[in-house]
Amino acid sequence: MAEQPQPAWFKSTYSGSPSNECVECAVQQDTIQVRDSKYTERATLTFTHEAWATFASAIRFDSRVERH
């Protein structure tokens, strides 16, 4: 059985914080993986592409809501 290639992890271009408090994502053939950038050895969250797209759309919608 062939080994799965290691995921190519990346951070958002908006995460320029020196404290490194953000998440990293990796896109694989069937899934999107998410992990804490400070504790990369811990467990990851895994989403289908469809579930990730739904989540990302919800975030974009929320970011446009005016806050008081």
Side-chain angles (χ1 to χ4, degrees), residues 4-64:
Q4 292 285 350
Q6 291 295 315
W9 294 97
F10 65 93
K11 296 178 194 173
S12 167
T13 55
Y14 291 100
S15 62
S17 169
S19 62
N20 206 27
E21 295 175 358
C22 57
V23 297
E24 297 176 315
C25 297
V27 179
Q28 301 212 280
Q29 185 175 356
D30 298 326
T31 61
I32 307 292
Q33 295 181 22
V34 181
R35 70 181 181 185
D36 186 329
S37 63
K38 290 188 340 185
Y39 302 103
T40 58
E41 70 285 348
R42 292 187 181 171
T44 62
L45 300 174
T46 302
F47 301 91
T48 65
H49 287 271
E50 181 181 36
W52 185 256
T54 300
F55 172 72
S57 291
I59 289 174
R60 274 186 235 114
F61 177 77
D62 278 353
S63 68
R64 290 185 228 137

